[in-house]
């Protein structure tokens, strides 16, 4: 059988349409991949006996087939739709297109994952010049009927016929002006009928054909528009932001209309079974009397609270449903209990009351803040509704971040100046500063500052540390600014491309507004917003629910979680967040201190090894003290210290006064300093003279660092009981370079042992960050007690993509579906992942007891943590603020593979 | 058994010492790995019945054991040496240390590969205050005896005791001054005896102990010094330049002394069985009467030619051996015939005549120029001495480069400054430099230099390597300069006796003209001329031997050889050298033309796709013409065209006037141009927005290029018979990006087919240059008709080394033995090679008929070509001048795996 024939046969026997309503359904809640979330839950609720307007769902398979076959439908779809429609007609006792008793339907999208507002919806479908009269007669409300018809025409015109809103609105405005009317409610049935006529003429004029009167043509038009909207730019962008594959497709739900706008015994509303902001167990929601569902979302009318308590809490002085419709409110409470009991999770419900009768239109697991998620999961587990494993599974690890950072007070107005990437969560306000030295100086004087740079470099570390928040025009989610900010727990908006910074003028411009240095701005690293002035923030509390959950988490996980930290402050934060050691201490960050940088620069200027030793000797006691401090904080836990990694030119001065200072300090000329700087400059520093290559050419640097580590151990008692230093040699590509450097470190250890009489316990290992290191892992393992995968650099080299330069094209790649994830955020399992697996296998074969971990940014990404668990690493290491996330992700990974 | 015990047992049963002499030998010529070249050949000659002074060889295994065990010898070595020494004593009838009839020996190094002058030698060992008297009595020549003793003390003092030459020389000079002597020959036995006393006092004063009198202690001192010299800096540098692994070690040869300096019936000489410069079948060599071997090499006395013909050719007016010692000369001819007949290759022979008796001290395969190698191999194959395969194997592919190098234009006037010996053929011009360090430094900066030295020594190796040509005032055709230059393929004029070099003044004078360091001179190593200024060169004729050999080569090889070329000139050169198509046409090289670069820049400045199309449209006809030209030259052969690869910023202007010009051309401001330039700037352009990433974000560029290619095919007839374009998409990392770009190219092809009515035949493939591409080769092969391995970039990413920045550390890596080869010259088989093999396997599995080639620099490196053959690639592609090298290397690889 040919492939085409097979496909045709499969299509012929496929069920494309699933009906629901009147207490039965073809589908179930666990069929969300096929029916979408909305469709699956409508089926489930129908089977549960809840009052759901009858309807049917066109599966996501139709969407996939539609796009696979140049936007055509499977042959037998039309027949299945016709059958399903006939079934609804039977349940409802109305007929599609029947002028006397017309069946009206809504057509909505419903993907596997919720994509609120992303795709199109059409209501009141089935109305035409004839059926509208039937609706008028049956409802006894001609105004309602004609209003519904004109709404349908507007919606259909916009969504299906691609005639912009404003064409309809300008006709409406003109009409009201001509008739001295202001509000839509002032228009009566005749007004709407007249406008419907004008709408029709306008449509015919624009399209060359009249508004479709055939309900079946209307239906297929709407279905086509919903499937088409799966590929609109908004939806593509949303999917990219939320990691939803385009291949999932959307389902389409066709459902009998019910009306919340047929009078004051009608209403429509949205409710949560628990408070989605706090997680408290209380009914939470809003409704509108005599309105359609869209009116609640649109926010044109102020909705009323459901409960008296809610009314008091929000301070809204409008009657609660508990007061105005007590019977319906009681029914609603029963529906809530039934749904939460059935789904065992907080539900987000849409309902309509038509002539005093409650209809449930949708239920889904409710979105909630991190705090609420935590409280709901812990509460439900303690109530026995779910078990602890389920509670662990329920929390999106990423949502924990919200718990850890201050956030903007949601109740405050704000002027958004620009938007960038939400690079490091939390919000911060402060004086705008464009220079790191100034940031430090002003912070020293007690000012809160926001550091804004076109991009940041290692020289900005002190400024970033001093700032409350960081803003850059360039760079992605893993740019220097973003990585460092997350490590420091500083809010950061990166890559705000619309922002122009003029260092010379000391100004920042965006959206036609110019702000000067010293002006106050606010950034929100959780949304990417840059705002004018100060927006008040609120401080989070971790609370009891957090502690309880993390206790369960730690019992469930197998992976150890360490932190990437080098400052005592970071190390303390990390330990506070439950880090079980340091997985990456980047020693170069210790060199930018004012006292030390000049010594480092003198060392760089020196012409031979002997001359380099003198300035290094001055740094030794400081570096030793760095380690003493870290070891004290991490007492009893392992600390992995990476020896100097970046190319030396990163430490060299850039400005004239600095050149002069360095020339004087190293007894040479400014010309010589400049020449050295230019000799060290690199075209591709990422692939340059760095990592262990420095250790090979400048062995005295690693000697000094090893000595500082060992002397720090000795200073703390020396027997290794309080600390287990793991010395990490970066960027190894061959076994020989590792062997050479390992021997030197061991020689330093032996010297310190002899001088101190102490016995040293330590490990020597390497950072695996080059493809060659993965391939030659067996050879490397012969000289390494441990491997730590530096997946940032490994991703850069495997993909041949510089993180710093990737912003120019990575977003285009994601938009065009060429990459599912940013490989710097979530590990590329097929490429980088294969190299890591290879290195694990070859490393373990050569040395079965080798310790394996990861210390790239991926160590704090839940999907990557899952990968690390699956391939059997011993630990992950991530920035301090990501430690709880990694702990949770590790627990979830362990539960999944049980 | 523990490892240590196993090793000890192995050592106990190992034969460390191999004897030879008096018609027998323990070793054979094919044992050179164990005995070194010299030792193996001494054994072989001894077995052949040639007169070889008896001796023994300490194996290279001793050297390896010495370095593996902290510079100590195997336990049973001493006993084996003692036994071997006793055997010599038996053969010679003299006794080591016997005051009446002392045995004297030489101690010399002898590695597997010849390393001329790199390591140390001690002669006349066994002399002491007592045995010297025995020697005086037995030789009847006390002056000879004391002269030999003082020579031994000087040599031993320098080599073993580390007392510099000058300490001895200043004593000698003082002595001569005090006694009114000028030449060494004026000193008689008593003078030497007095000086020996002074030498002894000086040594005792410096070392605190007397000169060793015990011959056995002398012997072990010398053996230790030779093994030690394996790790001296000169030897390390030489090995690095010649790719000799440190692990091979050296052997040590201890051999009975024979003396060429016992009177006028004594002589010493060096000879080649064929002319090593031209390959002609004629005796070629030099000798000195009453001299020791070292005197010939040192170039202090002008050596005499062996033959009358040689005398005429060189214009040296000294009697030839053919005239002065006709009997010995006849014997020598017999030895030459025997050795060449036995070894079936041209031999380089050292001999000594002691009292009219000929002794052969060494034979080895003679170093020769590329031209000579070719002639010898082809001649021998046609003589039936070797077969064609052997002839192919005999030519070092790298030596072919010399054939391709230009010679002086005979029709140009030249100012000849001086004439020397035509020591190594070829012509070269460059800045005059008198110092090897400076030669290296200037060459590093890109200057062509001519190194001029009074004479060269092993310390000059790096300078000779860096220079384009070498000139010496002293030394013959077999001097250090001549031998090394021929080995390296550098043009060399040696022994230009009329030239005076004043190192202090930095001048060279001849024929009344003085030239300064930094002035330009030209040398012609084929004529011996030294000329003022730069003399124009012409392309050489490859000659009949070349054509014959390459015919055999092409019949033997399996790999196809293509060229990397984009200009018509390069393409013609490549085809002339036998390229079978173009493997890499880098289209970006076509964009730097003045007319085009401004259009390219306008395109870069444009803000959207439409605006970019206009300047691209202007480039289209020019680009089409590029391809028409290439296709015409390569008619009937495949042409692989790589679409635009480098990041766009490479095309942007750098200077202010260019900024202004571009601003005007694209109707914008200089500020806007500068801003665009700064936005496009990249931190790591190698890993940046380049390759197919440009194709994704700027599809109109590849559209234009694809159209230019297809329109060029149509212009040439269109049916694909004359040309097979292979369109190559660079830098792919995922199958999806390849699929996307392939579809666009196919759409362009379809459009051109429709417009022209022609049917197009073409391939679309990708350049594999990222580790991820190798890992995902199966996925890529689904969208690629061919893979071309871009091993330059693949090496950069796999190793994480930027070629541009690697100079800072790669030489340190090679010096420290961390890397055996520069991975950018010879493919890293273990790392990069594994990825390539993986990609070959996965690519072929997914698409069995996929075409596989390599187009990195490695395509012209013989060792890498061998790798490509072994893994079954279809072709290699290299720069035009390397095509013959690649053809030969491919043939050798095919013969090796037969």
């Amino acid at each position: 059988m040919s492939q085409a024939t097979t496909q045709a046969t499969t299509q012929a026997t496929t069920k494309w349409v699933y009906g629901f309503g009147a207490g039965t359904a073809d589908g179930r809640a666990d069929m969300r991949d096929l029916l979408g979330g909305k469709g699956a839950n409508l089926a489930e609720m129908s089977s549960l006996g809840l009052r759901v307007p009858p309807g049917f769902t066109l599966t996501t398979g139709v969407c996939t087939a539609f796009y696979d076959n140049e936007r055509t439908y499977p042959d037998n779809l039309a027949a299945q739709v016709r059958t399903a429609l006939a079934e609804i007609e039977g349940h409802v006792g109305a007929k599609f297109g029947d002028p006397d008793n017309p069946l009206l339907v809504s057509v909505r999208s419903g993907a596997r994952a919720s994509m609120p507002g992303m795709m199109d919806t059409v209501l009141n479908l089935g109305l035409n010049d004839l059926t509208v009269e039937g609706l008028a007669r049956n409802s006894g409300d001609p105004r309602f009927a004609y209003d519904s018809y004109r709404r349908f025409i507007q919606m259909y015109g916009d969504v299906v016929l691609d005639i912009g809103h404003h064409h309809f609105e300008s006709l409406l405005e003109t009409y009201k002006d001509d008739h001295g009317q202001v509000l839509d409610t002032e228009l009566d049935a005749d007004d709407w009928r007249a406008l419907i006529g004008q709408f029709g003429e306008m449509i015919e004029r624009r399209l060359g054909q009249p508004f479709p009167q055939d309900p079946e043509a209307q239906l297929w038009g709407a279905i086509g528009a919903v499937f088409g909207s799966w590929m609109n730019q908004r939806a593509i962008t949303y999917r990219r932001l939320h990691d939803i594959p385009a291949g999932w497709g959307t389902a389409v739900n066709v459902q009998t209309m019910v009306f919340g706008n047929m009078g004051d015994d009608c209403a429509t509303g949205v409710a949560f079974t628990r408070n989605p902001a706090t997680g408290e167990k209380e009914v939470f929601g809003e409704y509108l009397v005599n309105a359609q569902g869209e009116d609640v979302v649109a926010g044109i009318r102020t909705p009323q609270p459901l409960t008296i308590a809610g009314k008091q809490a929000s301070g809204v002085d409008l009657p609660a449903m508990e007061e105005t419709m007590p019977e319906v409110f009681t029914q609603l409470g029963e529906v809530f209990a039934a749904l939460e009991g059935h789904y065992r999770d907080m539900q987000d419900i849409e309902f309509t009351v038509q002539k005093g009768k409650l209809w449930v239109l949708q239920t889904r697991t409710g979105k909630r803040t991190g705090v609420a998620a935590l409280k709901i999961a812990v509460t439900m587990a303690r109530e026995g509704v779910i078990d602890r494993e389920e509670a662990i599974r329920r929390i999106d690890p990423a949502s924990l971040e919200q718990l850890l950072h201050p956030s903007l007070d949601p109740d405050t107005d704000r002027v958004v100046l620009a938007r960038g990437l939400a690079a490091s969560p939390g919000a911060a306000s402060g004086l705008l500063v464009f220079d790191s030295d100034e940031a430090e100086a002003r912070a020293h004087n007690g000012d809160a500052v926001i550091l804004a740079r076109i991009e940041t470099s290692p020289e900005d570390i002190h400024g970033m540390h001093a700032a409350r928040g960081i803003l850059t025009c360039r760079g992605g989610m893993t740019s220097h600014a973003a990585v460092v900010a997350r490590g420091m727990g500083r809010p950061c908006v990166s890559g705000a491309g619309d922002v122009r910074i003029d260092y010379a003028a000391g100004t920042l411009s965006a959206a036609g507004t110019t702000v000067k240095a010293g002006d106050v701005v606010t950034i929100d690293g959780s949304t990417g917003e840059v705002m004018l002035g100060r927006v008040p923030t609120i401080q989070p509390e971790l609370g009891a629910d957090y502690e309880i959950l993390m206790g369960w988490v730690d019992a469930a996980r197998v992976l150890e979680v360490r932190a990437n930290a080098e400052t005592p402050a970071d190390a303390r934060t990390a330990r506070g967040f439950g880090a079980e050691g340091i997985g990456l201490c980047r020693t170069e960050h210790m060199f930018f201190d004012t006292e030390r940088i000049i010594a480092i620069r003198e060392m760089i200027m020196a012409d031979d090894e002997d001359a380099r030793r003198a300035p290094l000797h001055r740094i030794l006691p400081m570096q030793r003290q760095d380690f003493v401090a870290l070891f004290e904080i991490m007492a009893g836990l392992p600390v992995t210290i990476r020896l100097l990694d970046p190319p030396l030119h990163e430490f060299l001065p850039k400005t004239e006064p600095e050149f002069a200072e360095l020339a004087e300090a190293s007894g040479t000329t400014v010309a010589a300093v400049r020449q050295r700087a230019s000799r060290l400059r690199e075209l591709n520093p990422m692939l340059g003279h760095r990592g262990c290559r420095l250790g090979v050419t400048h062995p005295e640097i690693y000697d000094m660092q090893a000595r500082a580590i060992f002397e720090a151990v000795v200073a703390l008692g020396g027997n290794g009981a309080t600390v287990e230093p793991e010395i990490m040699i970066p960027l190894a590509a061959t076994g020989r370079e590792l062997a050479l450097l390992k021997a030197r470190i061991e020689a330093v250890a032996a010297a310190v042992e002899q001088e101190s009489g102490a016995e040293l316990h330590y490990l020597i290992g390497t950072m695996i960050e080059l493809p060659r290191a993965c391939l030659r892992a067996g050879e490397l393992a012969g000289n390494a007690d441990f491997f730590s995968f530096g997946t940032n650099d490994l991703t850069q080299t495997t993909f041949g993509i510089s993180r710093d330069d990737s912003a120019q094209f990575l977003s285009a790649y994601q938009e065009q579906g060429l990459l599912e994830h940013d490989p710097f955020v979530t590990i590329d399992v097929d490429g980088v992942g294969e190299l890591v697996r290879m290195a694990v296998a070859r490393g373990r074969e050569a040395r079965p007891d080798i310790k394996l971990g990861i210390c790239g940014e991926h160590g704090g990404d839940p999907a990557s943590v899952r990968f690390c668990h699956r391939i059997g690493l011993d630990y992950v290491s991530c920035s301090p603020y990501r430690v709880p996330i990694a702990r949770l992700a590790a627990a979830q990974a362990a539960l999944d593979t049980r």
Side-chain angles (χ1 to χ4, degrees), chain A residues 66-67 71 73 107 160 219-229 252:
Chain A
F66 180 72
Y67 282 107
R71 302 200 175 212
Y73 296 115
V107 178
V160 184
L219 180 61
W220 286 106
I223 290 170
V226 172
F227 282 136
S229 69
V252 174

Side-chain angles (χ1 to χ4, degrees), chain A residues 806-829:
Chain A
S806 63
Q808 303 271 1
F809 54 90
L810 266 195
S811 57
Y813 266 64
Q814 287 185 267
E815 271 156 30
Q816 299 188 41
L818 298 177
L819 280 178
E820 284 187 6
H821 308 286
D822 179 338
F824 294 112
V825 174
T826 297
I827 197 162
D828 159 42
V829 172

Side-chain angles (χ1 to χ4, degrees), chain A residues 640-864:
Chain A
T640 306
I641 298 157
R642 181 176 72 186
L643 301 181
L644 191 71
D645 183 52
L648 292 181
H649 54 75
E650 285 200 7
F651 299 103
L652 282 181
K654 307 254 179 320
T655 67
E656 286 304 311
E658 283 180 317
F659 274 130
E661 184 191 13
L662 176 53
E664 202 186 320
S666 45
T668 180
T669 63
V670 170
V673 172
R674 206 177 280 113
Q675 195 179 25
R676 177 64 50 99
S678 109
R679 223 176 67 200
L680 288 176
R681 207 181 47 221
E682 296 184 309
L683 284 177
N684 294 288
M686 165 65 211
L687 309 174
H689 190 180
R690 50 169 288 235
C692 66
R693 296 161 193 171
L694 283 173
V696 169
T697 57
H698 296 64
E700 58 284 356
I701 301 178
Y702 283 9
D703 285 356
M704 180 281 283
Q705 294 196 296
R707 176 167 281 274
I709 292 166
F710 294 128
E711 288 183 355
V713 172
V714 170
L716 285 172
N719 61 6
T722 45
V723 70
E724 304 166 29
E726 301 183 347
I727 299 176
M728 181 151 74
I729 296 169
L731 208 73
T734 72
R736 290 192 202 172
E737 59 193 345
L738 209 49
L740 175 82
L741 296 170
K742 185 180 178 220
R744 283 194 78 105
I745 295 167
E746 287 170 340
V748 173
V752 173
E753 281 185 333
Q754 187 144 30
E755 293 159 18
S756 65
E759 195 188 329
L760 293 167
H761 300 274
Y762 60 92
L763 301 181
I764 299 177
T766 186
M767 193 150 167
I768 301 280
E769 41 193 335
L770 297 174
R772 194 178 197 280
C774 295
L775 295 162
R776 304 302 298 162
E779 184 192 325
L780 295 184
N783 289 293
D785 300 318
F786 64 89
F787 285 168
S788 177
F789 290 95
T791 47
N792 297 347
D793 282 2
L794 187 58
T795 299
Q796 297 198 79
T797 46
T798 304
F799 256 102
I801 294 180
S802 159
R803 272 198 299 178
D804 297 309
D805 305 313
S806 63
Q808 303 271 1
F809 54 90
L810 266 195
S811 57
Y813 266 64
Q814 287 185 267
E815 271 156 30
Q816 299 188 41
L818 298 177
L819 280 178
E820 284 187 6
H821 308 286
D822 179 338
F824 294 112
V825 174
T826 297
I827 197 162
D828 159 42
V829 172
D830 291 340
V832 177
E834 179 173 1
L835 284 175
V836 172
R837 277 195 304 268
M838 199 182 278
V840 166
R842 294 178 182 190
R844 283 230 169 94
E845 194 186 330
R847 180 181 293 227
D849 66 340
I850 194 165
K851 212 172 193 182
L852 301 170
I854 183 177
C855 63
E857 286 292 309
H858 298 106
D861 168 66
S864 309

Side-chain angles (χ1 to χ4, degrees), chain A residues 433-448:
Chain A
V433 166
F434 298 113
D435 178 86
S436 287
D437 292 338
E438 200 193 334
E440 194 174 48
R442 297 199 83 146
H444 198 73
N445 291 337
D447 290 336

Side-chain angles (χ1 to χ4, degrees), chain A residues 492-532:
Chain A
C492 174
V493 172
S494 69
D498 295 338
V499 168
R500 291 277 163 269
I501 292 179
D502 183 338
Y503 288 138
T507 57
L508 177 156
S509 318
T513 306
T514 296
V515 208
K516 294 188 306 297
D519 290 350
V520 173
V521 295
T522 297
I523 62 165
D524 187 343
S526 311
T527 64
E529 286 175 336
V530 182
M531 291 148 280
L532 276 181

Side-chain angles (χ1 to χ4, degrees), chain A residues 370-638:
Chain A
V371 178
L374 201 59
K375 177 166 282 310
I376 293 168
V378 171
T379 310
M380 285 190 167
R382 301 181 99 189
E383 285 168 354
V385 177
I386 58 176
D387 62 16
R388 289 177 179 184
E389 293 191 2
E390 181 61 27
I392 293 171
R393 283 200 184 90
R394 284 275 173 91
I395 313 294
D396 174 4
S399 75
L400 285 187
E401 265 197 310
Q402 298 166 32
L403 272 65
L404 310 176
H405 292 282
S407 56
L408 291 183
D409 184 343
D411 299 332
T412 317
D413 288 340
R414 52 192 82 178
V415 181
V416 175
L417 200 60
R419 253 172 248 274
L421 299 173
S424 179
S429 302
L431 310 181
L432 192 61
V433 166
F434 298 113
D435 178 86
S436 287
D437 292 338
E438 200 193 334
E440 194 174 48
R442 297 199 83 146
H444 198 73
N445 291 337
D447 290 336
V449 301
I450 300 293
L451 177 65
R453 301 281 302 162
I454 295 173
E455 61 198 331
T456 63
S457 78
E459 284 178 346
D460 294 312
I461 295 280
H462 62 299
M464 297 171 75
H465 208 270
R468 294 290 173 88
I470 296 130
L471 165 65
T472 66
C473 312
R474 286 209 202 128
M477 292 295 286
T478 56
S479 64
H480 177 267
V483 171
V484 173
R486 282 200 294 272
M488 290 177 175
R490 295 284 176 286
C492 174
V493 172
S494 69
D498 295 338
V499 168
R500 291 277 163 269
I501 292 179
D502 183 338
Y503 288 138
T507 57
L508 177 156
S509 318
T513 306
T514 296
V515 208
K516 294 188 306 297
D519 290 350
V520 173
V521 295
T522 297
I523 62 165
D524 187 343
S526 311
T527 64
E529 286 175 336
V530 182
M531 291 148 280
L532 276 181
R534 186 177 311 280
V535 180
T537 57
I538 46 179
Q539 271 302 322
E541 290 195 15
L542 289 175
D545 295 322
Y546 170 85
E547 296 300 341
I548 291 166
L549 184 89
M550 293 311 273
W552 301 342
V553 157
D554 289 344
R557 73 188 156 91
V558 177
L559 274 174
E560 196 181 296
V561 176
R562 302 193 191 177
N564 300 348
E566 38 276 330
T567 66
D570 282 354
R572 265 189 292 270
T573 304
R575 191 146 197 182
F577 283 144
E580 295 162 292
I582 289 180
L584 176 62
C585 161
R586 288 156 290 211
T587 51
E588 59 271 17
H589 286 202
M590 299 166 162
F591 287 176
F592 282 99
D593 181 273
T594 333
E595 257 184 290
R596 306 184 193 186
I597 188 76
I598 192 77
I600 290 290
R601 288 172 178 171
E602 273 178 63
M603 179 204 74
I604 296 172
M605 286 303 298
D607 280 319
D608 56 47
E609 188 174 325
D610 281 344
R612 288 195 291 262
R613 286 198 182 272
L616 285 169
H617 195 71
R618 286 185 357 241
I619 297 169
L620 173 65
M622 309 185 230
Q623 180 99 92
R624 182 174 56 225
Q625 188 46 44
D626 293 332
F627 297 131
V628 166
L630 282 187
F631 292 165
E632 277 173 343
I633 294 164
M634 285 290 159
L637 298 175

